[in-house]
Amino acid sequence: MSALSSLALIALAAPAALLGASHLKTRRLAREARHLVPPIGQFCNTPRGKIHYIDIGPRDAQPLVLIHGLSGQLQHFTYALAEDLAKDHRVIALDRPGCGYSTRNSDALARLPEQAKTLLDVLDQLEVQQPVLVGHSLGGAVSLAMALHAPEKIRGLALLAPLTHPSPQGAEAFKGLIVHTSVMRHMMAQTVAVPTAERTAAPVLQQIFAPEACPDDFLIKAGGALGLRPESFVAASADASYLYPAIEIQADRYAEELRTPGAILFGAEDAILAPQSQGKVMESYGLGCEIAPDRGHMLPITAPELCNDFICATLQDLPSA
């Protein structure tokens, strides 16, 4: 074999060796993540996948359904908010389809209308009637999709830093999630995505929490370690990649079809979503918007008391069920 042929083989083998090493590291990180943050709730089977959830608080109280954002899981709510709310309300916190320990049967089910249908199916199975949806970030978009799809089933909306409209620029922290083919998405998940997420976690979390600090116990108590699994990258990538044109179509429906009452809370210094174009704009459709000074995007974790007060005040302003 010539020296040139040998070099060619080495060049071809090097990427394969790197991918193999990345795959082994991915498997190790995923095992560690599942050990650090095991499932804490129950599972509900639906035709689109199984949903992991907790259901706490008095059975006969007003139900609140807590829906997390992109790359999140229900621990974003159990971190500090859910137990306080559960003193006076029935609280159902869910892992959105594909996220946390929930599953979905295909990436295409990440579309907003499909997520809405899945979660409405779960609420039907749990016999939850007239809930108030508490959606954070992308969970706000899913909450709005649920209200548009089945307005007769939803009593109200109490949205925390919600995505409500197209955001063409997007946040720098999430741009690497856009992958438009399922094959490439799943291949990346098994090789380079998780080691890259581990390496870039600190600056990404800094941006997501800015101007506030990410708590030291975020990876375990708030479930952040679960992001270091292949299925988490697949879910987040599908959520981001299938967001358009669904969010554009959804936003066009608000004027004629959004009739569910409620309110919105935003942090004035949110570095992920713009309070004016995502929050204040919704006042035209009947959702008042409160903007909290000096607060960022991760309100359920950094400002649980503020969120609790906002949710309770929103409930008081809703028409009787």
Side-chain angles (χ1 to χ4, degrees):
M1 181 180 291
S2 69
L4 183 61
S5 298
S6 298
L7 288 173
L9 286 173
I10 292 171
L12 289 172
L18 289 173
L19 290 176
S22 294
H23 176 63
L24 291 176
K25 185 172 185 179
T26 294
R27 293 180 62 183
R28 176 177 62 80
L29 290 171
R31 285 196 303 271
E32 292 173 355
R34 296 181 189 111
H35 174 73
L36 289 170
V37 187
I40 61 174
Q42 307 170 69
F43 290 89
C44 179
N45 292 315
T46 82
R48 298 174 179 84
K50 67 179 182 180
I51 298 299
H52 177 229
Y53 70 96
I54 63 164
D55 187 350
I56 58 178
R59 301 295 84 186
D60 58 348
Q62 169 65 52
L64 303 176
V65 179
L66 314 185
I67 306 172
H68 65 81
L70 184 64
S71 295
Q73 52 280 321
L74 65 82
Q75 284 90 340
H76 282 192
F77 292 109
T78 61
Y79 181 86
L81 181 59
E83 286 193 7
D84 279 347
L85 289 172
K87 292 174 183 176
D88 299 304
H89 309 93
R90 180 182 179 185
V91 173
I92 298 100
L94 307 132
D95 283 337
R96 284 190 300 100
C99 303
Y101 282 99
S102 293
T103 65
R104 58 184 168 217
N105 295 341
S106 78
D107 289 358
L109 294 175
R111 293 185 177 94
L112 292 175
E114 298 303 326
Q115 294 203 48
K117 292 173 187 175
T118 301
L119 296 188
L120 286 166
D121 186 4
V122 171
L123 297 184
D124 284 345
Q125 291 192 48
L126 297 180
E127 298 183 344
V128 175
Q129 297 182 358
Q130 293 298 301
V132 171
L133 306 182
V134 180
H136 174 238
S137 196
L138 180 60
V142 174
S143 299
L144 287 161
M146 295 168 70
L148 289 169
H149 185 75
E152 74 285 356
K153 293 184 177 182
I154 307 301
R155 183 183 175 202
L157 300 166
L159 306 181
L160 308 173
L163 173 70
T164 64
H165 284 74
S167 180
Q169 298 303 317
E172 191 66 32
F174 299 125
K175 288 185 176 177
L177 295 174
I178 305 296
V179 182
H180 289 299
T181 68
S182 181
V183 171
M184 181 60 70
R185 184 178 302 121
H186 285 260
M187 186 178 76
M188 290 175 63
Q190 294 294 334
T191 53
V192 298
V194 172
T196 300
E198 182 196 35
R199 188 173 64 252
T200 61
V204 168
L205 289 173
Q206 184 178 24
Q207 181 184 358
I208 293 170
F209 276 86
E212 297 160 297
C214 175
D216 292 337
D217 55 0
F218 174 78
L219 288 182
I220 297 178
K221 188 177 178 182
L226 291 180
L228 299 178
R229 303 173 304 156
E231 57 266 39
S232 296
F233 174 78
V234 169
S237 175
D239 283 341
S241 301
Y242 281 101
L243 184 58
Y244 292 88
I247 188 64
E248 297 167 325
I249 296 169
Q250 178 166 302
D252 287 342
R253 296 175 60 191
Y254 296 151
E256 296 295 328
E257 299 179 52
L258 184 60
R259 296 292 178 265
T260 305
I264 291 171
L265 175 66
F266 250 103
E269 305 302 320
D270 194 315
I272 302 300
L273 295 171
Q276 296 294 326
S277 60
Q278 300 290 336
K280 279 292 185 181
V281 68
M282 296 301 288
E283 292 185 337
S284 299
Y285 312 116
L287 299 181
C289 181
E290 174 185 344
I291 298 182
D294 304 320
R295 293 295 186 178
H297 187 67
M298 296 299 287
L299 297 171
I301 292 174
T302 61
E305 292 183 2
L306 178 65
C307 292
N308 193 330
D309 291 345
F310 162 75
I311 293 165
C312 291
T314 300
L315 288 173
Q316 290 178 358
D317 290 339
L318 293 176
S320 300

